[in-house]
Each structure stands twice: as structure tokens, then as C-alpha cells.
Amino acid sequence: MSQHSTLSLVIPAKNEQENIAKLLTEAFNVMRDYPGFEVVLVDDGSSDQTLATARRTAEALGGRLLAVRHEQSIGQSGALATGILRATGQLIVTMDGDGQNDPADIPALLQQANRLHNPDFCIAGYRRNRKDTAWKRFQSRLANRIRNAFLHDGVPDTGCGLKLFPRSTFLKLPWFDHAHRFIPALVKGAGGEIAIVEVNHRPRMAGISKYNAWNRAWAGIVDMIGVMWLLNRTRVPQIANLEDPNNSRPATERA
């Protein structure tokens, strides 16, 4: 992947007015010199001043911000899809709006992307040292082990919001509620390459998590079954040769 590809940072956020200014400030400072860098913020039906705070922050910093607001919340996957479809970058970085992901890790994801040759890929962040409660860490470890046992995506931490992939790759994927947790498995199923980068994780400074044990577990089980069904029926073609429209012989025969 070219180092000069444009980059869009897509951030879904709901009621994160106390976190979004710091997060955007960090992101714009880290990526200030990256060509074509933009932030796409999707306010997923917030009842606070998340969107207004983000706009003021971007204006003060002189950063490019595309802000979109859902009238009603449709969830993180829907918000991500809204942002990615409106993004102008060739590369997409996703990040949670609560400030627990660190924008300083974005350059490491870009460096890893430059080492890959497959045009379809996903660089997944791995929060080895999570700053969550012991109960939440236990839930996550259990869910990741179960998911990997059935889907074989090779990702130790699919719940990490920090990921990088080409926008063109995303447009090839099936999309549904909670699909953001299965992006690596879906990319791999479509013939893409998966890479892991260890990233920082920070405690939530303000606000409350939008997930609990029940909605994580139930949604995860139902969606995993659906993803297994999709992957079992996905067929990626292997091209044996490529017909040259300017010559009747296949290109491989003339090489």
C-alpha cells in the first residue's frame, strides 16, 4: 500500500462530549503532516454536545472534519458504515469515540500496511494491557477464544476499535448490526490478509460504556452463527490466467 494514500479516521460516537475534544486534538496532532488526512465523526444520536464540541475543536485546530449525525442511534456498526461510505480516503482507520484508543498508534498501523502486498487486508489492534475491570477483561478473553475457535480469524482482540483497512475492501464485505466485531473474519473470508499490531489502551476518562455483559454475549452468539454461515458459503475465485482483450491468446501464454 502506497505511503501516499489518503487516510480517513472514522470515529463513531454517542454522548462523548467529555472525551471527543481530547481525542480529536490528539488525532490531528499525530497526523498533521499526513497527506489528505481527515476525520469523519458520526454522532450516533447523541443527546449531549458531542457534535458541537467536535466541530469547535476541529475549527480551532484547523483540521479537516466531516461530521454526520444520526437522528436516532442505530449502533456502532451502523455508525461506522455511515462514516466509511462518506469518507474520501483510500485507507480507513476506525477508532472508538471514548478516548480509550490512542491515536499515537495510527502510524504503527500504517507502517504495517506498507509491508503487505494483498490489496485487501485488515490491520487489527491488540490491547494486550487493557485498562478495564477484571470482569470485563474476563468476558473479552472468553469471547475472543470462542470466536477464534469457530471462525479461525487469528485475531486475539477483535473488540479493539482500532483497525485499518482499505475502503475498497470494506465495500466488498457483507454488513449487518454488530459486524464491526467480525471485520477481520469477513476480510479473511473474502481472500484478504490479516495482520496484528499491539496498541495502547487507556482507561475511560468520562462517560459510560454503551455495552454490558448481556448485550455483548447474546449479540456475539447470534452474530457468530451468522458469520459462520456467510464464511462457509463464500467462494473466492483463483484466477488461472487473464485474457488480454487486445490479443486472442491468454496473457500467461505470451509471457
Side-chain angles (χ1 to χ4, degrees):
M1 179 59 63
S2 169
Q3 294 182 359
H4 300 292
S5 299
T6 54
L7 178 69
S8 296
L9 171 59
V10 178
I11 304 177
K14 180 181 179 183
N15 294 333
E16 298 290 359
Q17 68 175 16
E18 297 175 282
N19 296 309
I20 200 65
K22 181 177 185 293
L23 182 62
L24 290 181
T25 299
E26 292 175 332
F28 283 126
N29 285 337
V30 167
M31 304 303 297
R32 184 176 301 279
D33 297 326
Y34 193 88
F37 177 69
E38 68 177 6
V39 174
V40 183
L41 177 77
V42 181
D43 183 334
D44 189 33
S46 295
S47 57
D48 64 3
Q49 296 299 308
T50 294
L51 188 59
T53 302
R55 284 174 169 158
R56 287 195 302 269
T57 303
E59 183 177 0
L61 295 170
R64 175 175 167 77
L65 173 71
L66 173 59
V68 185
R69 185 179 187 278
H70 291 162
E71 187 66 28
Q72 295 180 331
S73 175
I74 63 171
Q76 187 170 350
S77 287
L80 280 173
T82 293
I84 295 168
L85 291 174
R86 284 160 175 76
T88 64
Q90 295 169 276
L91 290 177
I92 301 294
V93 171
T94 64
M95 179 178 291
D96 294 340
D98 57 13
Q100 291 193 266
N101 297 139
D102 190 345
D105 288 316
I106 296 176
L109 270 65
L110 290 167
Q111 290 173 8
Q112 180 64 47
N114 287 329
R115 301 186 186 106
L116 304 181
H117 301 290
N118 193 323
D120 294 313
F121 62 83
C122 175
I123 314 296
Y126 171 31
R127 303 165 294 180
R128 182 184 294 274
N129 298 309
R130 291 188 60 172
K131 306 302 182 183
D132 288 318
T133 64
W135 171 236
K136 194 170 183 179
R137 293 196 302 270
F138 169 77
Q139 294 176 64
S140 181
R141 285 196 301 269
L142 179 61
N144 279 308
R145 287 174 182 172
I146 293 173
R147 188 206 69 261
N148 198 30
F150 283 94
L151 300 183
H152 309 292
D153 57 14
V155 177
D157 183 19
T158 192
C160 179
L162 190 58
K163 295 181 176 70
L164 184 151
F165 45 82
R167 184 175 183 274
S168 58
T169 298
F170 175 84
L171 296 178
K172 298 176 183 179
L173 304 181
W175 203 247
F176 47 88
D177 196 17
H178 298 111
H180 66 281
R181 294 186 174 277
F182 300 95
I183 290 177
L186 294 171
V187 170
K188 186 176 180 179
E193 187 174 356
I194 307 302
I196 310 300
V197 172
E198 188 171 330
V199 298
N200 187 27
H201 189 241
R202 308 180 291 193
R204 174 184 270 276
M205 299 303 295
I208 59 173
S209 173
K210 311 306 183 291
Y211 296 97
N212 56 48
W214 172 249
N215 61 30
R216 283 177 185 270
W218 175 245
I221 292 170
V222 172
D223 293 334
M224 185 174 66
I225 293 171
V227 172
M228 289 173 61
W229 184 91
L230 283 171
L231 296 180
N232 285 335
R233 284 154 178 78
T234 299
R235 299 293 181 267
V236 180
Q238 301 296 317
I239 306 301
N241 59 18
L242 180 64
E243 191 75 23
D244 186 343
N246 297 317
N247 192 302
S248 58
R249 288 188 300 157
T252 51
E253 293 181 8
R254 303 195 311 277

